[in-house]
Amino acid sequence: MKLVVMHLTGNYAVAWAVKLSRVKVVSAYPITPQTTIVEKISEFIESGMMDAKIVRVESEHSALATVFGAASSGVRAFTATSSHGLMYMYEMVWWSAGARVPIVMAIVTRTIGAPWNIWSDHSDFMSQRDTGWLMIFAEHNQEVLDSVIQLFRITEDPRVYLPGMIALDAFILSHTTEPVDVPDQSLVDSFLPSRRQPYTFKSGDPITMGNLPSNPRDNMKMRWDVHESLVAAKKVIMEVDREWGELTGRSYGGLIECYRCSDAKYFIIGVGAWVGDMREAVDMLRSEGYEVGLIKLRFVRPFPAEELAEVVRGGKGAIVFDRSVSAGSAGPLYLDTVAHLGALNVGVPVKNVIAGIAGVDVTYNDIAGVVRSFIEEIESKGVVSNYVEWYFG
Amino acid sequence: MIVGGISIRELPRKKYLLPGNSSCPGCPEALGLRYLGMALGDRVILVVPAGCSTVIEGLAPNYSMRFPIVNVPFASADAVASGVATAKEVLGEDAVVVVWAGDGATADIGFATLSGAAERGDNIIHICVDNEAYMNTGIQRSSLTPYGAWTTTTWTGKKERKKDVPLIMLMHKVPYVATASVGYPMDFIEKLRRAASIKGFKYIHLHAPCPTGWRFDPSLTVEVAKLAVETGMWILFEAINGKVKISPSSLPYRDRSRRKPIRDYIKIQGRFRALTDKELRKLESMVDDVWDTLIKFT
Ligand SMILES: Cc1ncc(C[n+]2csc(CCOP(=O)(O)OP(=O)(O)O)c2C)c(N)n1
Ligand code: SF4
């Protein structure tokens, strides 16, 4: 195995992964903090390092539309965006999933206005939960690169055939340089077969996609099938991550990754870049004698309900950190977690902490502090008083 | 019959729009789709945004056409087509990628997308099937509804003039812009074939009188379409690399005195019923204005 260590920002790690995945059509529209992804890809293409076409469209709606057109016509295609760009694409996000066209999209997570603000939170990404896309978070730039390549493989698996999006936190990953092992092209080629998709538009072959159904029940079945395929994707995700691990020595637990969970009584649950800070918080709390572990969710769609329940069952409590909110209810990660843990009879108190919205900085000290008082409260009173807490630091 | 070098006998007999499709009787979009099949046949990949043609395709799992059709959201057609064309170029496959879009999908919600694809010179043909309103959602006004016309959102007649999209596309300096009409099939077919022979962005604006929305008898579609040309309300032209040439069927009407009265065109449709004489004069002067502007480019 030949590996080259490069110093890459998260965005450049995406660009390298796209190049290694032999993507043929890229289309995107500039928005901070996504922009350097397509800038880098343009450079690859124009310097002859990458054999692909880039379509420089006039909006994000058109970016995903172009990628949808290319992907449904037989080639691997990619786009990337953030925040308002993703909001502007929303219609095409649904259409691509309904049409079962494998596409990979990178979302450099950024808060949504008003007011204008370019810093990270997960509002943009988490607002896509219902669409039918596979949704994966990355914790660091190596995982960004590895996950993009994995995502091409997963989305193009005949058991899945759905588009997938990967989240990387604005600036924290997108613009921060880390050492990244960039695998050899031949390694990626051996891992990623040539393009597979459920159907392909070509002239002379009169197929159609998307005309009105005569029976709404068929249409409902299509939606059911999107759901079922996402659930079935869990197996594929595990296989693909394992295989990647065999090839590169790096795997991420597939759907979830546990840190110091085996003897833990309390669990921190989180996604994205601040999982790194949560690891530090766990170490700190452990040194103080707290029996705490960390569950990093890699995928939020499919939601790893059983996998999560298996870890949390028998514990004394869980605390879910959300970097976005379903306003008027609670954090989306928390809502998924309590719904599934409840239904799977995991009867532990679960608290929601909404923090880091609009780019508010959250340190491992902040995290440790919140977790400490959560554990203290349960130990002393046996219940959580404020189960949805807004933490401003 | 031979028009412009194409003989009717040479046209393929294969039907690309099948009988039993879901169009209204006398539907101009159905006529246009038939001509598209005759002109370009098996080479076509059709990209269709929301509109009447979505319905004309029929209800899945049935399907009334022999084109491959990518159905797409209302505002996305040209961008999807750009993606299809780019993929086909990468794969080295022959295809004529055609956007088949209504006036709403062309001139309103899809306008930025259309302009973007034109400016980039993407290798597609955009056909605007102009029935002068949003018919699919029940006859609401569009920016291509003419002055004075009734729609379900302009009960006393539209107060604004029709947007001149062919000229706007001409200003994009694309290699091919043409207007056509469902009343002149050979002219349309010829233009389609010319467009398909040119690489880059091609725009064809197809006038499509709609009996349901314009309130005329379904047997009169072709007659209304012809009257639009004969009164000068619709001008057939073609512009290759920016050089405008009035098409033979419209050429006589360059001379205002040879045009039939616009009143004849107005009279056979219900949608202009409330038009006053003053408004008619205003409409007439708008038509003169469109001619004057176009002639400057010839
Ligand atoms: C984003 C969005 N807004 C509104 C609609 C509803 N809609 C569907 S078709 C249509 C009008 C189509 O008009 P036009 O493009 O002129 O085509 P026609 O139906 O006349 O052929 C509208 C408003 C939609 N499908 N998508
Ligand atoms: S409303 Fe007009 S354009 Fe639409 S299907 Fe009916 S006749 Fe055709």
Side-chain angles (χ1 to χ4, degrees):
Chain A
M1 180 174 59
K2 201 172 124 219
L3 291 174
V4 182
V5 177
M6 295 177 72
H7 292 274
L8 296 179
T9 62
N11 279 359
Y12 284 4
V14 172
W16 272 96
V18 168
K19 177 180 171 314
L20 286 165
S21 302
R22 297 191 185 278
V23 165
K24 288 293 171 222
V25 175
V26 175
S27 181
Y29 190 78
I31 184 167
T32 304
Q34 171 283 123
T35 314
T36 58
I37 297 177
V38 271
E39 285 175 355
K40 193 71 190 168
I41 293 174
S42 304
E43 194 186 318
F44 284 150
I45 294 173
E46 287 183 37
S47 66
M49 286 172 71
M50 183 176 168
D51 178 24
K53 302 237 173 252
I54 184 155
V55 187
R56 299 165 184 90
V57 285
E58 75 299 332
S59 77
E60 288 86 356
H61 194 279
S62 289
L64 188 51
T66 299
V67 161
F68 167 77
S72 61
S73 300
V75 301
R76 195 167 283 156
F78 171 83
T79 186
T81 191
S82 295
S83 182
H84 289 260
L86 183 57
M87 301 301 104
Y88 203 53
M89 264 182 194
Y90 191 49
E91 184 185 31
M92 288 309 305
V93 175
W94 278 84
W95 196 264
S96 309
R100 307 301 296 260
V101 177
I103 290 169
V104 171
M105 167 157 73
I107 305 300
V108 184
T109 62
R110 165 183 155 179
T111 192
I112 304 169
W116 288 118
N117 176 342
I118 58 169
W119 306 118
S120 184
D121 69 28
H122 299 155
S123 309
D124 52 3
F125 194 72
M126 292 305 269
S127 70
Q128 309 297 309
R129 306 186 311 286
D130 296 345
T131 57
W133 285 54
L134 292 136
M135 297 176 68
I136 182 174
F137 271 96
E139 182 189 343
H140 47 72
N141 295 351
Q142 183 70 60
E143 193 178 5
V144 168
L145 180 131
D146 294 341
S147 298
V148 169
I149 297 170
Q150 288 190 8
L151 208 45
F152 276 111
R153 167 84 179 263
I154 298 162
T155 54
E156 293 175 15
D157 189 294
R159 291 167 288 177
V160 181
Y161 280 157
L162 281 169
M165 55 175 91
I166 175 167
L168 55 152
D169 282 76
F171 303 106
I172 307 166
L173 297 190
S174 70
H175 288 63
T176 306
T177 302
E178 289 179 345
V180 175
D181 280 346
V182 179
D184 202 55
Q185 182 68 61
S186 61
L187 182 149
V188 179
D189 288 347
S190 72
F191 172 77
L192 196 55
S194 49
R195 173 80 177 168
R196 291 180 291 179
Q197 58 189 85
Y199 55 88
T200 305
F201 292 109
K202 44 172 120 47
S203 37
D205 182 10
I207 59 164
T208 187
M209 185 291 304
N211 60 329
L212 300 159
S214 55
N215 184 346
R217 194 166 278 114
D218 294 337
N219 198 158
M220 181 167 169
K221 271 195 181 147
M222 288 167 75
R223 192 67 186 146
W224 167 82
D225 195 65
V226 166
H227 172 78
E228 283 296 300
S229 302
L230 274 174
V231 175
K234 287 184 178 185
K235 188 162 173 276
V236 180
I237 290 165
M238 297 306 287
E239 280 171 23
V240 165
D241 189 52
R242 205 176 304 123
E243 194 184 317
W244 184 252
E246 283 159 16
L247 283 170
T248 64
R250 292 186 302 273
S251 64
Y252 302 93
L255 291 153
I256 67 170
E257 191 190 336
C258 291
Y259 180 65
R260 303 186 78 164
C261 286
S262 56
D263 61 341
K265 296 280 178 294
Y266 294 95
F267 300 92
I268 303 175
I269 297 171
V271 290
W274 65 357
V275 166
D277 302 298
M278 290 168 188
R279 288 179 198 272
E280 307 262 356
V282 166
D283 290 345
M284 192 170 167
L285 291 165
R286 281 282 184 172
S287 70
E288 294 167 18
Y290 293 98
E291 295 171 299
V292 61
L294 164 70
I295 305 169
K296 157 180 157 181
L297 302 190
R298 241 183 125 213
F299 279 84
V300 292
R301 287 292 178 274
F303 189 76
E306 289 83 4
E307 294 75 8
L308 196 59
E310 202 180 304
V311 182
V312 177
R313 197 184 299 281
K316 289 163 88 176
I319 181 163
V320 181
F321 283 81
D322 265 293
R323 207 160 186 154
S324 63
V325 63
S326 177
S329 181
L333 207 52
Y334 171 78
L335 293 172
D336 272 332
T337 303
V338 289
H340 289 285
L341 291 187
L344 294 166
N345 291 314
V346 181
V348 303
V350 186
K351 181 185 172 91
N352 190 196
V353 179
I354 293 163
I357 303 281
V360 169
D361 200 24
V362 183
T363 66
Y364 63 85
N365 267 320
D366 292 324
I367 295 167
V370 172
V371 175
R372 206 181 282 118
S373 20
F374 165 67
I375 297 175
E376 295 299 344
E377 189 176 24
I378 296 198
E379 292 286 339
S380 58
K381 298 189 203 141
V383 286
V384 196
S385 50
N386 181 15
Y387 69 90
V388 180
E389 178 185 335
W390 282 74
Y391 180 80
F392 291 89
Chain B
M1 185 169 75
I2 296 181
V3 182
I6 299 176
S7 154
I8 245 177
R9 287 209 201 90
E10 284 168 29
L11 295 174
R13 303 186 81 84
K14 179 170 167 183
K15 284 193 171 71
Y16 285 84
L17 176 69
L18 302 173
N21 65 72
S22 322
S23 59
C24 311
C27 174
E29 299 200 11
L31 291 176
L33 285 163
R34 289 219 286 266
Y35 305 147
L36 176 66
M38 290 175 185
L40 303 176
D42 278 351
R43 296 180 68 203
V44 171
I45 297 177
L46 210 52
V47 179
V48 178
C52 279
S53 289
T54 319
V55 177
I56 295 171
E57 275 173 61
L59 299 178
N62 298 321
Y63 178 45
S64 72
M65 297 198 210
R66 284 205 182 112
F67 301 112
I69 296 196
V70 195
N71 287 288
V72 297
F74 203 14
S76 70
D78 292 85
V80 172
S82 298
V84 175
T86 308
K88 291 303 154 196
E89 194 187 333
V90 167
L91 296 167
E93 290 174 20
D94 176 58
V96 181
V97 183
V98 177
V99 171
W100 181 265
D103 43 296
T106 299
D108 297 337
I109 198 166
F111 196 52
T113 319
L114 165 69
S115 176
E119 183 270 334
R120 289 189 302 274
D122 291 339
N123 190 24
I124 62 177
I125 301 176
H126 180 109
I127 301 174
C128 171
V129 195
D130 185 6
N131 55 20
E132 302 189 328
Y134 302 158
M135 293 312 173
N136 182 235
T137 37
I139 327 173
Q140 295 85 24
R141 67 87 88 179
S142 80
S143 63
L144 298 194
T145 302
Y147 173 77
W150 163 91
T151 67
T152 56
T153 50
T154 54
W155 291 94
T156 56
K158 190 184 163 187
K159 302 288 178 267
E160 304 80 22
R161 62 191 294 162
K162 184 179 172 89
K163 178 153 76 176
D164 199 336
V165 182
L167 280 195
I168 296 171
M169 296 322 291
L170 195 68
M171 290 304 100
H172 281 69
K173 311 286 178 189
V174 293
Y176 191 80
V177 175
T179 56
S181 160
V182 296
Y184 298 82
M186 297 308 275
D187 174 74
F188 179 42
I189 289 170
E190 206 184 325
K191 285 169 174 169
L192 279 167
R193 289 191 172 172
R194 193 131 50 237
S197 73
I198 297 170
K199 195 167 156 53
F201 188 90
K202 289 83 59 178
Y203 180 82
I204 301 179
H205 197 117
L206 180 69
H207 198 233
C210 158
T212 309
W214 298 13
R215 300 297 196 236
F216 62 78
D217 189 276
S219 65
L220 297 178
T221 305
V222 170
E223 201 171 321
V224 174
K226 289 200 145 135
L227 260 177
V229 170
E230 289 160 1
T231 54
M233 281 285 292
W234 187 244
I235 311 171
L236 298 171
F237 77 87
E238 183 176 53
I240 301 175
N241 293 322
K243 259 212 115 35
V244 173
K245 230 177 93 194
I246 310 286
S247 302
S249 304
S250 270
L251 207 52
Y253 312 113
R254 205 182 152 137
D255 176 356
R256 194 177 190 282
S257 68
R258 295 179 69 180
R259 292 178 208 157
K260 288 189 179 165
I262 287 177
R263 193 182 290 278
D264 291 359
Y265 178 65
I266 299 304
K267 251 184 2 215
I268 59 167
Q269 307 172 42
R271 64 175 173 159
F272 291 107
R273 215 167 28 213
L275 201 75
T276 62
D277 282 348
K278 196 172 150 216
E279 285 167 334
L280 176 59
R281 280 196 297 281
K282 192 164 168 187
L283 182 62
E284 284 166 347
S285 78
M286 285 174 179
V287 171
D288 290 342
D289 183 49
V290 172
W291 273 97
D292 291 347
T293 313
L294 183 67
I295 283 168
K296 291 198 183 102
F297 292 99
T298 55

